Amino acid sequence: MQRNYIHYLFILIVCCFAFFVNNGAVYEDIMESRNLVTAHEMIEYDNWLVPTMNGELRLEKPPLPTWVAAGIEYLQPDNISMQRAAAGIMATLMVFFLYFFASALSGNRMLGLLSAVVLATCFNVIMAGRVATWDIYCHSFMLGAILFFYKGIVSRRTSWGMFIWAGTFLGLSFLGKGPVAFYALLLPFLLSYIAVYRPSFKRKGLPIVVMLLVFVAVSFWWYLYLIIFHKDMTMFVWAKESTAWMERNVRSWYYYWQFFAESGIWSLFLLTGLCWPWLKRKVTMKKEYAFAVVWTLVTLVLLSLFPEKKTRYLLPILIPASMVVAHYVVYIFVATKEKKLTAGDRVVFRVNAFLPALIALGMPVAIYFLFYVKGQMGLALFIIVTLLFLVAAYSIFAGGVRMKSMKVFTGVVLLLILVETLLMPRVANMFNNTEIKSISAVREIEEVNHIPFYYPSDEELRIELVYEAGRRILPWDIENDTTLLDSLPIVLVSGKPAAEILPPGMAERVNLHFIDMYDNNTRPKSDKKRYSPKFVRYVTILEKKAD
């Protein structure tokens, strides 16, 4: 039991560095802005059951993660670090679910620990756990459902509690992002588990029915509410989303061929672990290893068959992939201890180890030229950082030479922790626009606090501007709609000065009080590819001209 607590503590420490430390280093992206605008309007307009985004219904996404974000917004307004911490908590929960699942499946808690730590330090998972987006919610809840379902299936007695918990987490996953995790995580698991283990469902039929009933009760009430009170809009949105899945971001079937890169520094370990014909007779836990490989490959196939593809959709594949890496590390550890390593084993493992060792060795050189020479890091800190990276490099290199897989594993984890703790803010500043002039400044201008905001309907309004402004910015057909002139004053947010876009007849009827020009580009002007005039906006008060 004491060793279990050590495992828990180690996982928590790794997750702390992976998901929470410096999680406010980068600016909010478009996905975060959409979600947080929706959460803000839940509080502002009390529309908890029928979410809106900048005044328009947003029924495309189920509401559970937005409810969480709205609760945080209520307690800690405009705190992006707290919003991202919620995603970090969900990522940490997912890591613990994998620890318990892999431990229960294999009967080996060390395998569970390695699987969990690999998952926590995969690039895609780190990114998902450090931003306020909703993918991490559905997959975390789904892995919880898989854990409880598995425990219910293998239990000799009818474990009603496990199936009820499984149904609850299935419902929470559906409320997180609809059927996404059911296709990307649950279906591959079921196909792989049934194919490899051929489990008996004897006396499990009724508990499974109860599980499904709990799932329906937890998840479908919100959809039923929408159908009853907003049927036309709900059906329209569902039809639009179904079409979008088939027509938006359509990529070729082999688009995910670099899936292993989403594991980041574990890429070579993962590719080695997936060499099933080579390892299938070597590993000690043969069936568990085969299951992890099959689950990974089935997930890859199913995701590749789906027309819409984005790299962030590969997050669920990293769950079984982490188990694959863990099996390989455990094999090297056991084979070294039992002196069963072949010459091929040694060569392959050292190649896996020396690459991250070289990265760790190269980090002080990169830090010297990128930060120290430019005066962004003092000498004392540079020496400390260099020594820490050299310790990580030594651990990995020495472990590779001596075939100490746990030493290599620990060194790789230390390397990632050092990067996230010491370098992430500085690396972010290399790309961030340090001269940003955010439209969020209007929140502090008393004279516009109670005036409605509008933008020309023929211009594109970036949702990031709505988030930064902290209020709705509604469309206005300047050329044809003069009714707003009867309800002045208003604030106009435009891509050009108001005097240049107002029709002559309208300009004569209003006074223009120019507030400022704001530039919300998160990338500097030198970045020609990403710097956009869509984030540059003129803010002007339109007031009635005195008769």
Side-chain angles (χ1 to χ4, degrees):
M1 183 60 69
Q2 185 177 1
R3 179 175 293 183
N4 293 346
Y5 287 125
I6 294 173
H7 287 186
Y8 303 157
L9 179 61
F10 186 64
I11 293 172
L12 281 174
I13 291 172
V14 172
C15 288
C16 178
F17 285 104
F19 307 127
F20 300 98
V21 173
N22 295 322
N23 72 345
V26 297
Y27 291 118
E28 303 83 359
D29 61 17
I30 186 171
M31 292 300 297
E32 288 184 292
S33 297
R34 287 172 179 167
N35 298 334
L36 298 181
V37 165
T38 306
H40 175 78
E41 292 190 8
M42 278 185 173
I43 298 171
E44 184 76 14
Y45 301 98
D46 201 28
N47 51 10
W48 294 83
L49 294 179
V50 188
T52 61
M53 184 176 71
N54 199 30
E56 297 183 359
L57 287 176
R58 195 191 189 207
L59 308 180
E60 293 87 351
K61 309 295 181 186
L64 178 58
T66 314
W67 290 337
V68 174
I72 295 171
E73 178 70 13
Y74 179 79
L75 297 172
Q76 292 285 326
D78 303 316
N79 191 328
I80 188 61
S81 294
M82 285 293 293
Q83 293 287 359
R84 289 172 174 171
I89 291 171
M90 294 308 302
T92 302
L93 188 63
M94 183 172 70
V95 169
F96 271 100
F97 282 148
L98 182 60
Y99 169 74
F100 292 120
F101 175 75
S103 298
L105 182 73
S106 63
N108 187 318
R109 289 193 175 271
M110 180 55 68
L111 181 79
L113 176 65
L114 296 177
S115 301
V117 173
V118 170
L119 182 64
T121 50
C122 283
F123 172 76
N124 192 307
V125 177
I126 290 174
M127 297 308 296
R130 298 179 74 89
V131 294
T133 54
W134 302 163
D135 297 75
I136 195 69
Y137 283 81
C138 66
H139 295 306
S140 180
F141 286 133
M142 183 55 74
L143 188 55
I146 288 172
L147 169 64
F148 289 113
F149 175 76
Y150 168 76
K151 288 195 168 186
I153 289 297
V154 299
S155 176
R156 293 183 179 180
R157 294 187 291 180
T158 303
S159 185
W160 292 98
M162 293 300 172
F163 286 101
I164 290 172
W165 276 113
T168 301
F169 277 97
L170 286 173
L172 293 175
S173 178
F174 204 84
L175 276 178
K177 209 171 181 185
V180 170
F182 286 76
Y183 179 82
L185 187 53
L186 179 61
L187 180 59
F189 163 77
L190 291 175
L191 293 175
S192 306
Y193 184 69
I194 291 172
V196 174
Y197 285 92
R198 303 186 183 280
S200 170
F201 294 98
K202 188 176 181 181
R203 295 195 300 273
K204 306 295 182 181
L206 186 57
I208 290 175
V209 170
V210 171
M211 176 187 74
L212 295 175
L213 290 175
V214 172
F215 156 61
V216 170
V218 171
S219 62
F220 277 74
W221 66 269
W222 181 71
Y223 296 93
L224 183 62
Y225 174 86
L226 291 182
I227 290 174
I228 293 173
F229 294 100
H230 301 275
K231 181 178 180 181
D232 292 341
M233 180 57 70
T234 301
M235 300 309 293
F236 170 76
V237 169
W238 288 355
K240 183 185 72 172
E241 283 296 292
S242 300
T243 303
W245 287 341
M246 300 301 168
E247 298 179 356
R248 184 175 57 194
N249 297 306
V250 175
R251 315 284 187 180
S252 54
W253 63 270
Y254 54 83
Y255 180 75
Y256 288 143
W257 73 271
Q258 292 180 315
F259 72 96
F260 54 88
E262 294 302 306
S263 64
I265 204 164
W266 302 109
S267 297
L268 270 182
F269 286 87
L270 175 56
L271 286 175
T272 304
L274 287 173
C275 294
W276 181 72
W278 177 58
L279 284 172
K280 64 179 181 179
R281 291 186 177 86
K282 296 174 178 283
V283 295
T284 53
M285 294 169 277
K286 293 179 172 53
K287 182 172 282 191
E288 292 81 358
Y289 166 68
F291 165 66
V293 171
V294 171
W295 187 2
T296 302
L297 297 179
V298 169
T299 305
L300 177 62
V301 170
L302 290 177
L303 291 175
S304 298
L305 290 176
F306 203 75
E308 184 182 14
K309 296 180 179 68
K310 295 179 182 178
T311 52
R312 62 186 175 89
Y313 292 171
L314 286 171
L315 191 152
I317 202 174
L318 297 174
I319 294 170
S322 298
M323 295 170 64
V324 171
V325 173
H327 275 287
Y328 175 60
V329 174
V330 168
Y331 161 67
I332 296 296
F333 175 77
V334 173
T336 301
K337 193 173 182 180
E338 297 178 355
K339 298 182 179 180
K340 293 182 179 179
L341 286 173
T342 65
D345 291 333
R346 296 176 185 276
V347 171
V348 172
F349 179 72
R350 284 167 179 163
V351 170
N352 276 280
F354 291 166
L355 180 61
L358 288 174
I359 293 173
L361 278 174
M363 292 305 296
V365 178
I367 293 169
Y368 177 81
F369 286 106
L370 291 175
F371 306 118
Y372 179 71
V373 170
K374 297 179 180 179
Q376 298 178 17
M377 180 179 288
L379 178 61
L381 180 58
F382 173 68
I383 292 173
I384 293 172
V385 170
T386 298
L387 291 175
L388 290 172
F389 275 109
L390 290 178
V391 169
Y394 173 78
S395 175
I396 300 169
F397 186 81
V401 171
R402 300 172 185 171
M403 300 304 296
K404 302 289 186 182
S405 63
M406 296 304 173
K407 196 167 187 177
V408 171
F409 185 87
T410 304
V412 171
V413 173
L414 175 61
L415 174 60
L416 287 168
I417 288 175
L418 291 175
V419 170
E420 290 164 359
T421 306
L422 302 174
L423 299 185
M424 185 166 285
R426 291 178 171 83
V427 172
N429 287 334
M430 291 174 60
F431 300 99
N432 287 343
N433 181 8
T434 55
E435 299 178 354
I436 191 170
K437 187 177 181 181
S438 176
I439 197 173
S440 62
V442 299
R443 302 186 188 196
E444 308 302 323
I445 301 176
E446 183 66 29
E447 60 186 314
V448 303
N449 275 351
H450 304 291
I451 304 177
F453 278 50
Y454 291 88
Y455 73 96
S457 58
D458 59 349
E459 295 182 359
E460 178 186 351
L461 179 71
R462 296 288 303 195
I463 196 66
E464 294 95 323
L465 298 174
V466 179
Y467 169 71
E468 292 292 341
R471 68 193 72 205
R472 288 176 174 173
I473 307 177
L474 303 177
W476 176 26
D477 184 353
I478 294 177
E479 294 292 337
N480 303 307
D481 182 7
T482 60
T483 57
L484 274 181
L485 298 180
D486 298 325
S487 56
L488 295 179
I490 65 170
V491 175
L492 182 64
V493 180
S494 55
K496 297 179 181 179
E500 296 182 17
I501 62 174
L502 292 177
M506 185 180 296
E508 295 171 358
R509 300 170 57 185
V510 299
N511 287 325
L512 303 180
H513 177 197
F514 177 63
I515 298 296
D516 211 337
M517 187 271 288
Y518 299 99
D519 184 352
N520 263 92
N521 277 284
T522 58
R523 296 298 178 89
K525 290 183 179 180
S526 57
D527 189 344
K528 303 296 184 183
K529 186 177 180 180
R530 293 180 175 84
Y531 186 89
S532 172
K534 295 177 181 178
F535 291 99
V536 179
R537 284 295 177 266
Y538 295 81
V539 177
T540 309
I541 299 176
L542 275 61
E543 299 173 317
K544 276 187 178 181
K545 185 172 286 188
D547 295 333

